[in-house]
Amino acid sequence: MVGGVPHPLRTACALALWLTQSAFCDTFPLKTCADLRALPPAEAEREMPVLVRATVTFSLPGPFGALSVQDETAGIYVDRNYSRTHDLIAPNAPWPDDLPPGTRVEIRGVTWRGHFAPVLCPREITILGSGPLPEPTALSAAEVLDGRWDSQRVRLRGVVQYASNNEDHPEHGRLDLVSHGGRIPVYSKEPLANPLALVDSEVEATGVAFTFFNNRGELVGMHLKVTDDSDLAVLRRGSVDPFSAPIAPLSALRSFSPFGAPFHRTACSGVVTLCRPGQFFYMQTEGRGVRVETHDAAALVPGDRVEASGFVELTEHFGKLREAVIRQTGHTQRPAPAELRRSEILGTGPRGDITNAKDTDGVFARVRGTLEELDTLNTGGARLFIESEGRPVTATLVRDVPPASLSKLQPGSELEIDGVVQVELTSGWPAQEYPSPASFHLLVNNADDIKVERPAPWWTPARLWLLLAGIGMLLAGTLVWNGLLRRRVDLRSTQLASEMRARREAAVAFGATLRERERLAADIHDSLEQLLTSVALQLEAGDALRVEAPARSASHLHAARQLLSRSREEVRRSVWNLRAQAMDGRSLAQALQDVATAAGQNPASPAITVQSEGCARPVSDLIAGNLLLLAQESLTNAIKHSRAANIALTLLFSEETLTVRIEDDGCGFDPANRPGPREGHFGLQGMRERMKRLGGSLEISDLPEGGTRIEAQVKV
């Protein structure tokens, strides 16, 4: 690398270095710019080694600057930024940044596919000296826009329609050259000395063509880069006075001319109908409207008479003035808006044929419709979406307006909007068929041009949906509250039912206790008290005869012993009857089996069988204890009085009831003629009272084949 050395010595060193390295040139497969440009993208991306000797055609220093070189075969773009970001060069290596055009260099590097065309990524740049620039190729704008002249030195001739030094980067300048085939922007590395003097001049620019591309690497435009004013040759100077340009009526901005389309200034006049200061305005005369684009920030208002001098450009199939300078000549009333129907704006003819639509583009007109939506957040101005004649139309306010001024515009309002019509056609330029109007929208000057003919009805769809949403939320809240209330009622009802059941069972248990006390009192009175009295009498008799008649005294003592034994049995029976609640963790079926086993211990007792039917389930101790006592009483009666050989005890479970059935094959009995409480027998009476307390039923019947059936049923 050679740098910072006086020019003659630097040239000598470069020549010596070139002679030393010439023997190694064969190790580089790519040695010309044309070879590099011919690589397919996949090959160029492989970073193949390159060694070229070429002349710098354009250089812009900086990390994102531009550098192009050209040899005898073609030109190529040198991507120094890629080399830095991909470590192709050392971070602190000396680097010749600003290489003036004409510098001869040797570049060693690699290929890369680039964003549009293959590029050269340098590893080392050696300055060889200086020399003449390559001869530029004279092209038209259409040829430049072809794209194949990327990074090539070219010459382009055209009329300057715009020239200015860059406001953001005043060290650079820009001008637009227009000729047959299109508009090509030209960027100058140095600021332009007098940019306004170049406007409307015929200029020949010599520079390097560069590409505008999208993120797919597709060509979208071209531009030229020149070093300074010396690369701009003025062939014919434009007029100093812009308003000395020929005046054309608005109806003939781009009409037939045997001399072709003019690229110089054209002047016209009219009345302003709409304005966005510093960007554009519309003027109208004799029913024809035209868009005028200008950088002049003059405060125009609708009704101003103006003259505009600019360059005619045909975009979207309608001529307009670009880069115009304006002057106000007076003020009058803004033209009355034209009453237009949709069919008049868009026409009714078939597509591809000459349209029968009226010439309405740029015309100040009035459209009526119903507001569907208002968008106040649009960056280009508030937008109104309306329905006119059954089809959608968009209206945009070109001036910033306070939101309060649009508060009267509610969806559903019927509006009358005055604005400038913008017609959109079916195809681009150049057209492949007669373009037909496809749609249109309005540009509105301010909120005063929007009148509400009929306010929106109170029952708008939005309010209806809000009402339905409120009703839905109220209904949902009611349902939730009802569910919670029902749940609390059910819970409270369950608690009350449980308390009532507990109280009822307590009352039943208390009543049962009282009955048991009465029964126990009767038993003691009927049997135990009488037996004890008999024992006392026997003992007294025995004591009285102990001396006189010992044998008779012994007989009375024996009788007393028998009476005591009998009393013990009576006491045991009474205690057994008191154990109504003694389930001891057993099921009812198990307790009945234990009762039957105890009752059948006497060898003379009949055979007792116990069985359970249905789906067994837990039973409260109150019910189980009383049924157990009832079964015990029934078994005792059957054993004592029925003279039966077999007794069957059955426990039946159903969905709602529980039944205890005792059947024997004995002699049977008539319940109506059996001794009762009057005679001192409380068995049957006790069983009936038990079932009454439980809310159940008791049935006693004779079996057809002989014997007795006792059936107690209670709800569980």
Side-chain angles (χ1 to χ4, degrees), residues 477-495:
T478 302
L479 292 175
V480 171
W481 180 82
N482 187 37
L484 294 175
L485 182 60
R486 182 184 296 274
R487 182 177 179 183
R488 293 195 63 180
V489 169
D490 291 343
L491 179 60
R492 187 59 180 161
S493 298
T494 302
Q495 292 175 348

Side-chain angles (χ1 to χ4, degrees), residues 194 323 470 698:
N194 189 3
E323 309 300 337
L698 179 69

Side-chain angles (χ1 to χ4, degrees), residues 137-351:
T137 303
L139 300 174
S140 66
E143 291 174 312
V144 172
L145 291 172
D146 181 72
R148 63 191 179 99
W149 297 97
D150 176 65
S151 301
Q152 312 301 305
R153 183 170 162 80
V154 300
R155 177 177 292 136
L156 177 66
R157 178 178 297 185
V159 175
V160 178
Q161 292 190 354
Y162 170 80
S164 175
N165 289 321
N166 195 321
E167 295 180 359
D168 297 329
H169 303 282
E171 68 275 13
H172 303 309
R174 172 185 169 170
L175 56 88
D176 289 354
L177 277 184
V178 180
S179 65
H180 293 286
R183 174 185 299 269
I184 304 295
V186 179
Y187 296 94
S188 172
K189 177 182 175 181
E190 303 292 338
L192 301 174
N194 189 3
L196 293 180
L198 294 175
V199 178
D200 203 26
S201 299
E202 188 174 345
V203 172
E204 186 176 68
T206 302
V208 178
F210 288 94
T211 308
F212 291 129
F213 45 81
N214 58 23
N215 56 5
R216 295 184 178 182
E218 298 168 336
L219 173 72
V220 296
M222 297 292 294
H223 62 283
L224 260 63
K225 290 186 183 295
V226 299
T227 301
D228 51 31
D229 287 349
S230 63
D231 291 330
L232 303 175
V234 179
L235 305 179
R236 191 180 70 178
R237 184 71 63 178
S239 174
V240 177
D241 181 12
F243 295 98
S244 64
I247 299 177
L250 298 184
S251 58
L253 288 183
R254 181 60 69 88
S255 57
F256 170 76
S257 171
F259 305 104
F263 299 114
H264 293 277
R265 277 195 175 108
T266 298
C268 55
S269 63
V271 178
V272 175
T273 55
L274 178 142
C275 178
R276 175 174 280 178
Q279 295 186 29
F280 65 88
F281 66 90
Y282 279 83
M283 63 181 181
Q284 181 173 320
T285 184
E286 297 179 354
R288 175 69 64 87
V290 169
R291 181 184 177 101
V292 180
E293 296 181 353
T294 178
H295 299 285
D296 193 336
L300 297 177
V301 296
D304 285 344
R305 291 185 179 275
V306 295
E307 290 182 357
S309 179
F311 300 94
V312 177
E313 183 176 82
L314 196 67
T315 58
E316 300 174 355
H317 302 286
F318 295 105
K320 66 179 180 181
L321 285 182
R322 283 179 54 115
E323 309 300 337
V325 293
I326 58 175
R327 64 184 179 186
Q328 184 177 354
T329 60
H331 185 80
T332 185
Q333 292 293 326
R334 182 171 59 172
E339 297 282 350
L340 296 176
R341 297 185 58 83
R342 185 182 187 87
S343 58
E344 295 175 316
I345 299 174
L346 301 182
T348 58
R351 180 175 176 178

